[in-house]
Amino acid sequence: PLIDVDDLEEFAVRPAPQGVTVKCRITRDKKGMDRGMYPTYYLHLEREHGKKVFLLAGRKRKKSKTSNYLISIDPTDLSRGGESFIGKLRSNLMGTKFTVYDNGVNPVKTTSSLEASTLRQELAAICYETNVLGFKGPRKMSVIIPGMNMDHERVSIRPRNEHETLLARWQNKNTESVIELHNKTPVWNDDTQSYVLNFHGRVTQASVKNFQIIHDNDPDYIVMQFGRVAEDVFTMDYNYPMCALQAFAIALSSFDSKLACE
């Protein structure tokens, strides 16, 4: 089935069609003066015969106390005020917890009279934990995303305060209307002396950044996978109920996570 990306803004937040794996790749561009510090990441949809369709671009903001990535549907306009701004990823001070927002309004910056529908939605939260092995073994990720309603539409989560956020709900075990996902624990392979996951040919280079995201109820259903295929090229595939913006932001968090440097 051909995935329709005519309307990028709509496509970016639309869950993957059920039964279809959306196959993408991320390229990291480190050119230019400060790109080494602030690379730009480009997400493309892979079509048959090696064709690629641009979907999203992301770049870390400078002068931000915490890691803060802007995500845009225009590869050339990565500004906060731009028409193409579609979402952002922000970390806590430690760089271990991240939240993904759409382009709605920050509740702190509004008066109470504002329409609820213009408040920003939280699309995902990502938590990295150091593992019991210290930094040497595979790291643990938890990903919390809004749940789906009976019509297979995403539940809208628009927190007005700290207590309503995805992270707060997860930490307080208030998991109604949210889905909790985890990275699949890699298996130790004696031949290669490393932890491995089966990416079925989609990932060709070993890296601590490679991961697969699953729901504990069905560990064989890969909601998302990400891994390296070349120095600055990674594949990113996702399935229902995830959308491109969620998956891309989760991948960006893995580039950034302070626990990602082992």
Side-chain angles (χ1 to χ4, degrees):
L2 201 60
I3 295 158
D4 169 28
V5 294
D6 289 346
D7 181 347
L8 268 186
E9 195 167 348
E10 191 267 334
F11 171 79
V13 294
R14 184 171 70 219
Q18 293 190 52
V20 178
T21 299
V22 183
K23 295 185 174 175
C24 307
R25 70 177 35 204
I26 293 174
T27 45
R28 176 171 56 188
D29 177 10
K30 291 180 174 167
K31 297 184 193 66
M33 280 292 285
D34 58 1
R35 288 292 171 82
M37 285 286 290
Y38 298 96
T40 305
Y41 298 90
Y42 299 102
L43 178 70
H44 286 83
L45 178 69
E46 293 185 357
R47 291 268 202 232
E48 55 289 337
H49 316 309
K51 291 198 183 80
K52 295 192 309 186
V53 181
F54 170 79
L55 297 177
L56 296 168
R59 195 169 73 90
K60 195 171 183 171
R61 292 182 77 174
K62 298 165 196 163
K63 303 190 179 65
S64 194
K65 289 191 194 68
T66 58
S67 291
N68 194 331
Y69 289 79
L70 291 184
I71 300 171
S72 167
I73 49 174
D74 180 338
T76 59
D77 177 16
L78 282 148
S79 63
R80 176 76 177 79
E83 285 286 289
S84 317
F85 170 69
I86 191 170
K88 72 176 199 176
L89 168 76
R90 201 183 67 211
S91 81
N92 64 351
L93 280 168
M94 295 284 293
T96 53
K97 294 186 169 74
F98 294 80
T99 302
V100 184
Y101 303 97
D102 71 0
N103 54 5
V105 181
N106 181 339
V108 178
K109 298 183 178 159
T110 67
T111 52
S112 54
S113 60
L114 196 77
E115 286 281 303
S117 60
T118 58
L119 282 181
R120 65 184 182 190
Q121 287 190 67
E122 288 194 4
L123 294 175
I126 309 111
C127 300
Y128 291 90
E129 295 156 53
T130 42
N131 46 48
V132 284
L133 305 166
F135 280 108
K136 281 290 166 259
R139 53 189 183 169
K140 286 179 67 173
M141 288 168 75
S142 300
V143 174
I144 304 95
I145 59 174
M148 308 299 278
N149 65 19
M150 294 311 238
D151 297 327
H152 304 294
E153 293 160 346
R154 187 182 305 109
V155 176
S156 163
I157 294 188
R158 303 178 191 269
R160 288 185 174 277
N161 57 50
E162 285 301 307
H163 308 294
E164 296 175 356
T165 65
L166 284 172
L167 282 171
R169 290 169 191 232
W170 179 65
Q171 279 155 346
N172 300 329
K173 303 280 183 280
N174 169 18
T175 49
E176 187 194 359
S177 74
V178 302
I179 300 170
E180 182 177 346
L181 305 165
H182 297 278
N183 62 320
K184 195 168 188 170
T185 308
V187 186
W188 179 257
N189 179 325
D190 273 339
D191 298 339
T192 61
Q193 287 291 297
S194 61
Y195 289 95
V196 292
L197 291 162
N198 184 356
F199 287 94
H200 300 288
R202 291 286 291 157
V203 174
T204 52
Q205 291 194 1
S207 166
V208 289
K209 292 193 168 66
N210 299 350
F211 63 81
Q212 291 177 323
I213 302 283
I214 54 164
H215 192 280
D216 291 349
N217 291 354
D218 186 0
D220 294 326
Y221 181 76
I222 308 293
V223 180
M224 172 190 172
Q225 69 178 25
F226 170 83
R228 173 179 267 161
V229 290
E231 172 64 30
D232 287 311
V233 185
F234 304 80
T235 51
M236 183 197 94
D237 303 341
Y238 66 93
N239 282 297
Y240 180 87
M242 214 171 257
C243 68
L245 181 54
Q246 286 168 323
F248 184 47
I250 292 165
L252 289 176
S253 78
S254 101
F255 285 114
D256 192 83
S257 165
K258 297 282 192 295
L259 301 180
C261 38
E262 64 274 50

